[in-house]
Amino acid sequence: MTTFSDPPKEQFRLSMLLYDTRYRSATIQVIALIGFMLLAAWIISNTIQNLEALGKPVEFGFFGEPASYDINQRLLEYTSRDTHLRAAFVGLLNTLVVAVLGCITATVLGVVIGVLRLSHNWIVARLMTVYVEMFRNVPVLLWIVFIMAILIETLPAPRAFRGDNPEASMVLGEAVAVTNRGVYVPEPLFSNSLGNIHLFGESSLRFDVSLDLMAILVVLGVSIWISNWIKHRADAIQEKTGDRPVTWWQRLGVVVVPLALLLALLGFHLGYPELKGFNFSGGTHLRNSLIALWLALSLYTAAFIAEIVRAGIMAISKGQSEAAAALGLRPNRIMSLVILPQALRVIIPPLISNYLNLTKNSSLAIAVGYMDITGTLGGITMNQTGRELECVLLLMLVYLSISLTISAIMNWYNESVKLKER
Amino acid sequence: MKKTVFLGAATVAGLAAGVAAAGTADDVKARGKLNCGVTTGLVGFAAPDANGEWKGFDVAVCRAVAAAVLGDANAVEFVPTTGKTRFTALASGEVDMLARNTTWTFSRDVDLKFEFVGVNYYDGQGFMVPKSLGVSSAKELDGATVCIQTGTTTELNLADFFRSNNISYEPVPIETNAEAQQQYLAGACDVYTTDASGLAATRATFENPGDHVLLPEIISKEPLGPLVRHGDNEWGDVVRWTLNALISAEEYGITSANIDEMAAGTDNPEINRILGTEGTLGEMLGLDNQWAMRAIKAGGNFGEIFAQNIGENTPIGLARGLNAQWTDGGLLYSPPFR
């Protein structure tokens, strides 16, 4: 006969929170959390209390006041009578411009350099090693300042272009002026322009969208869609009959002809820069602050991306390239069709963090006087209004949003190239 | 347990540091050093010399205050600040006072919560251009590229000047005077604009100062003066009356040469009060009676400081102009020591 005895009734005692290993970790975490929250609450209340003692309570009303300063590079129209909010908006767009340009250039450069570093050509591979080590081991601020100094000191000033026998002359058939104030390139102009749409009325966030640009984008989009459709049809015919119809002229024509027609209709022409008064006028002015920042950030980040690409490629087993070679593929096709698509899976996650780094590094812009959001909101606005806390908090929020957006987009892209396991 | 005590102490210390902001004079005395915010380098106003010793017109004010409060004109820690960092440095308590070509404006005084204790240089914003440009007036600068120090009132004046004259310009914002000088000399900007005194000081350091001209237009009022944090009136009084002592000393002819002689006692009761042989002005300030004497001894009276650092016999060569005593037709006018 067996007897069953109930296990002793579990009784919870307070001391178990500390001595029972089942509860101890939870207890410690709760205490740590409370401590952390108390600390945070103390910091916040201390800040508010001190600001009030100083007579500077937290408020954002100053954003509606006129900024009273000018910004040289602006994608939107802006005058010194516009509000601080608009100045911050102009700065935000400047940050985005340099971040996007930088990410694109850094990626292109990084991939090329990363691949070349694995080259069998000894000189090419060593040169790329030197590049990578040089750029990633020197702080990016130094590169920015260095490139700016080179631009300022070595290039001719606009006044050198003046006179009958000027010391400097324009390049590329008198179309581009390279000066120590930046590069002036021809700008696209439309004589039968469709005008702009004004968004957001008269508010600080107002901006104009060029209808010409929209029209060009729409036409290009439709053309590319048709061109893809031609390709799919050719694929289908090839599947069915084994013969691939020659389509390159159809596909090219379908893109080029409507675009050319549209441009002719809009009266497209180029506006060339010319020397007028103190400076060149006309054309698009790429300021040397933008060029220095863009170049330095791209070259610096490219060194890191090159290493990521190299690591990604080396992570693909040698068997893959040997198998591809056995199928008769040429080396560059092996790279583009077999190795890189697989390497991308390894490359993209660290690439995201480099994009984020580049974007955050763009806040060094003030070193060369590029008016990004740190220069406007976190610089002049903060200085003129004395609202340090508000400006810095907003600035952090802006960078956080930009970074999270980049990371969301890149994560989505990562999902789409990831190895699909079924 | 030890850790807890330590953390507790740290918290209390943090709280105390957070709340106790008053009593700068006591802080300075306890520290034995005055933290004085100056420019990152503007020859004549504040710049380290070949021996690394800070020299200049603004520096002399710091030294006078240190001499008055601590009895040692060298007990100063100079903190270089840019146009952008200066106010944060002062508001956060990193420096006890700013003597850094800072323009006295309403919003800085009222909204930024600072206390301007006086004016040590009456200035105005000017323009410097290379002579070769052939420009004779600022109104001819349509389309010019203008280098400007960011975070200053000059940035705002510039925008207003060009807008009201309906001419365009391209601003190049720059962080420090040295960078501005580099860009200007390389021709990356046509014009450099800042306070006229700063332009003269900058030009004096050029290889060929004669190749550059200051345009006649002075587009703003820039009363430059030392400032302290709002709310600590005792400390504000110390700095204010130290500056006034320097100005009064010139008015009454107290110089570093004759000060010891005068300190023995004169017929002029005002001089006696300044030098502490009569009355208890020093005690009222919370200092001893020789405070002003030490301040004047540190670098001489206002006129001597001016002549030594930026006057007509220096490379900077600024005339007294508005900065002469009121008795000579200038604006310097110290309230009486009574």
Side-chain angles (χ1 to χ4, degrees):
Chain A
M1 192 178 135
T2 45
T3 56
F4 288 95
S5 59
D6 284 339
K9 195 92 170 150
E10 184 93 348
Q11 265 205 333
F12 183 77
R13 292 183 310 278
L14 214 56
S15 61
M16 284 165 74
L17 281 179
L18 200 55
Y19 295 113
D20 192 321
T21 46
R22 284 173 298 174
Y23 302 121
R24 189 188 289 153
S25 62
T27 315
I28 293 174
Q29 284 180 39
V30 168
I31 292 175
L33 181 67
I34 292 175
F36 175 74
M37 281 172 23
L38 278 178
L39 185 72
W42 173 71
I43 290 175
I44 292 171
S45 83
N46 185 41
T47 310
I48 292 174
Q49 204 183 335
N50 274 311
L51 282 174
E52 235 144 61
L54 267 175
K56 285 164 74 171
V58 179
E59 52 110 8
F60 291 90
F62 67 92
F63 269 116
E65 304 290 323
S68 307
Y69 58 87
D70 282 304
I71 299 175
N72 52 6
Q73 164 155 342
R74 46 186 191 255
L75 296 176
L76 306 170
E77 46 80 44
Y78 165 90
T79 70
S80 57
R81 291 287 89 196
D82 276 310
T83 61
H84 282 296
L85 183 61
R86 184 150 182 91
F89 189 45
V90 171
L92 173 64
L93 286 184
N94 284 347
T95 295
L96 292 178
V97 163
V98 79
V100 169
L101 285 177
C103 284
I104 294 171
T105 324
T107 312
V108 173
L109 271 177
V111 170
V112 170
I113 292 164
V115 171
L116 286 186
R117 204 178 162 185
L118 291 170
S119 161
H120 295 297
N121 184 324
W122 190 87
I123 294 180
V124 172
R126 284 300 160 281
L127 272 180
M128 293 306 133
T129 309
V130 168
Y131 171 90
V132 168
E133 296 306 335
M134 201 169 78
F135 273 92
R136 70 173 182 175
N137 290 313
V138 173
V140 64
L141 179 61
L142 292 187
W143 284 116
I144 296 174
V145 174
F146 180 61
I147 293 179
M148 185 69 170
I150 291 180
L151 291 178
I152 289 176
E153 299 290 347
T154 60
L155 295 176
R159 66 185 86 123
F161 289 79
R162 196 173 289 127
D164 294 330
N165 196 5
E167 296 160 46
S169 56
M170 292 165 76
V171 291
L172 292 180
E174 296 286 294
V176 176
V178 182
T179 75
N180 67 351
R181 292 177 193 174
V183 178
Y184 296 79
V185 294
E187 61 180 338
L189 292 174
F190 302 96
S191 40
N192 311 320
S193 175
L194 299 173
N196 297 322
I197 317 180
H198 306 284
L199 293 181
F200 301 117
E202 284 299 301
S203 73
S204 292
L205 296 179
R206 67 184 184 275
F207 69 94
D208 295 347
V209 178
S210 160
L211 279 176
D212 303 320
L213 183 68
M214 296 308 278
I216 291 172
L217 287 181
V218 168
V219 168
L220 256 185
V222 172
S223 307
I224 289 172
W225 184 78
I226 295 176
S227 156
N228 273 341
W229 177 78
I230 294 173
K231 173 173 179 278
H232 283 301
R233 207 181 61 114
D235 285 348
I237 291 174
Q238 189 178 19
E239 291 275 306
K240 216 187 282 172
T241 65
D243 282 329
R244 191 177 179 88
V246 180
T247 57
W248 65 265
W249 54 273
Q250 292 171 348
R251 295 186 63 191
L252 191 70
V254 106
V255 174
V256 171
V257 173
L259 190 66
L261 270 178
L262 178 72
L263 288 180
L265 209 65
L266 290 174
F268 174 83
H269 60 278
L270 288 174
Y272 292 99
E274 55 183 319
L275 196 56
K276 238 186 216 160
F278 293 98
N279 280 316
F280 281 90
S281 63
T284 302
H285 182 190
L286 300 171
R287 287 177 178 75
N288 52 11
S289 53
L290 170 67
I291 297 175
L293 187 68
W294 173 24
L295 260 184
L297 288 177
S298 312
L299 293 175
Y300 178 78
T301 313
F304 289 87
I305 294 181
E307 285 299 274
I308 294 170
V309 169
R310 188 170 70 108
I313 291 171
M314 288 174 80
I316 307 304
S317 104
K318 211 169 172 16
Q320 293 282 330
S321 50
E322 284 168 356
L327 284 175
L329 289 177
R330 277 171 275 125
N332 48 2
R333 302 216 93 190
I334 295 178
M335 184 55 82
S336 62
L337 292 176
V338 178
I339 308 288
L340 274 184
Q342 299 187 69
L344 270 185
R345 294 202 303 271
V346 185
I347 291 171
I348 287 174
L351 193 63
I352 302 175
S353 76
N354 269 299
Y355 283 174
L356 298 184
N357 275 344
L358 188 144
T359 309
K360 287 178 288 176
N361 282 341
S362 73
S363 61
L364 295 169
I366 188 60
V368 286
Y370 179 76
M371 282 287 118
D372 69 335
I373 184 125
T374 315
T376 57
L377 174 64
I380 307 180
T381 291
M382 181 170 107
N383 203 264
Q384 303 292 6
T385 61
R387 301 272 165 202
E388 291 95 351
L389 189 77
E390 292 89 335
C391 287
V392 170
L393 280 179
L394 262 178
L395 203 56
M396 286 160 84
L397 192 70
V398 166
Y399 278 109
L400 187 68
S401 322
I402 298 176
S403 294
L404 288 180
T405 312
I406 293 177
S407 147
I409 294 172
M410 291 303 290
N411 278 326
W412 167 78
Y413 180 62
N414 192 30
E415 284 298 312
S416 67
V417 297
K418 216 159 73 171
L419 191 60
K420 306 281 189 301
E421 288 176 350
R422 295 190 176 90
Chain B
M1 183 61 207
K2 263 188 183 157
K3 236 179 209 163
T4 328
V5 171
F6 170 75
L7 282 178
T11 315
V12 172
L15 274 170
V19 178
T24 311
D26 296 331
D27 289 350
V28 171
K29 282 182 204 159
R31 203 188 302 128
K33 253 197 167 160
L34 172 75
N35 290 336
C36 194
V38 291
T39 67
T40 50
L42 179 62
V43 173
F45 284 86
D49 66 5
N51 303 321
E53 205 181 319
W54 283 86
K55 284 272 163 62
F57 187 66
D58 284 333
V59 165
V61 176
C62 301
R63 291 204 190 278
V65 173
V69 178
L70 301 167
D72 179 4
N74 289 319
V76 190
E77 180 80 32
F78 290 99
V79 181
T81 56
T82 66
K84 263 175 70 182
T85 59
R86 55 184 163 180
F87 296 126
T88 319
L90 181 60
S92 66
E94 192 188 335
V95 297
D96 304 311
M97 59 175 285
L98 262 187
R100 193 210 169 277
N101 324 75
T102 301
T103 308
W104 187 348
T105 68
F106 181 92
S107 63
R108 284 173 180 174
D109 199 335
V110 178
D111 193 34
L112 298 193
K113 306 292 174 195
F114 294 126
E115 193 85 34
F116 283 82
V117 300
V119 176
N120 69 341
Y121 193 91
Y122 288 94
D123 210 342
Q125 181 174 349
F127 297 95
M128 175 164 65
V129 293
K131 225 175 220 169
S132 56
L133 275 189
V135 174
S136 60
S137 159
K139 299 206 171 119
E140 294 166 20
L141 291 176
D142 192 12
T145 302
V146 182
C147 275
I148 178 153
Q149 280 188 58
T150 183
T152 60
T153 48
T154 51
E155 201 166 30
L156 310 181
N157 299 331
L158 183 71
D160 287 344
F161 175 78
F162 277 85
R163 194 172 41 80
S164 59
N165 283 299
N166 229 343
I167 48 182
S168 66
Y169 73 109
E170 154 108 11
V172 177
I174 283 161
E175 188 94 32
T176 65
N177 192 53
E179 287 168 49
Q181 189 171 330
Q182 182 206 359
Q183 295 228 11
Y184 172 75
L185 287 178
C189 37
D190 300 303
V191 190
Y192 180 35
T193 180
T194 185
D195 298 336
S197 62
L199 289 179
T202 307
R203 186 172 64 166
T205 62
F206 288 176
E207 218 173 304
N208 299 311
D211 292 350
H212 304 269
V213 284
L214 303 188
L215 297 181
E217 280 90 350
I218 296 293
I219 63 167
S220 66
K221 289 188 287 187
E222 310 280 342
L224 310 179
L227 59 156
V228 297
R229 275 183 298 281
H230 195 85
D232 188 354
N233 295 355
E234 285 75 22
W235 176 244
D237 287 342
V238 169
V239 182
R240 174 177 303 113
W241 286 97
T242 307
L243 178 63
N244 284 338
L246 298 180
I247 295 173
S248 293
E250 191 192 10
E251 187 182 346
Y252 295 114
I254 311 171
T255 65
S256 42
N258 65 12
I259 189 165
D260 287 320
E261 196 182 310
M262 284 194 163
T266 62
D267 313 338
N268 187 336
E270 179 122 12
I271 295 179
N272 294 347
R273 279 194 295 272
I274 293 174
L275 296 181
T277 46
E278 203 180 308
T280 54
L281 297 188
E283 275 169 40
M284 296 177 200
L285 270 182
L287 303 170
D288 60 7
N289 263 344
Q290 269 71 50
W291 65 281
M293 192 169 103
R294 287 195 304 270
I296 298 165
K297 266 189 175 171
N301 65 32
F302 186 91
E304 288 174 276
I305 294 172
F306 195 102
Q308 263 164 32
N309 294 301
I310 52 179
E312 275 169 331
N313 294 327
T314 64
I316 295 154
L318 289 171
R320 283 297 287 267
L322 290 178
N323 295 293
Q325 292 287 338
W326 64 283
T327 45
D328 302 333
L331 291 177
L332 286 187
Y333 186 101
S334 159
F337 278 72
R338 187 169 288 280

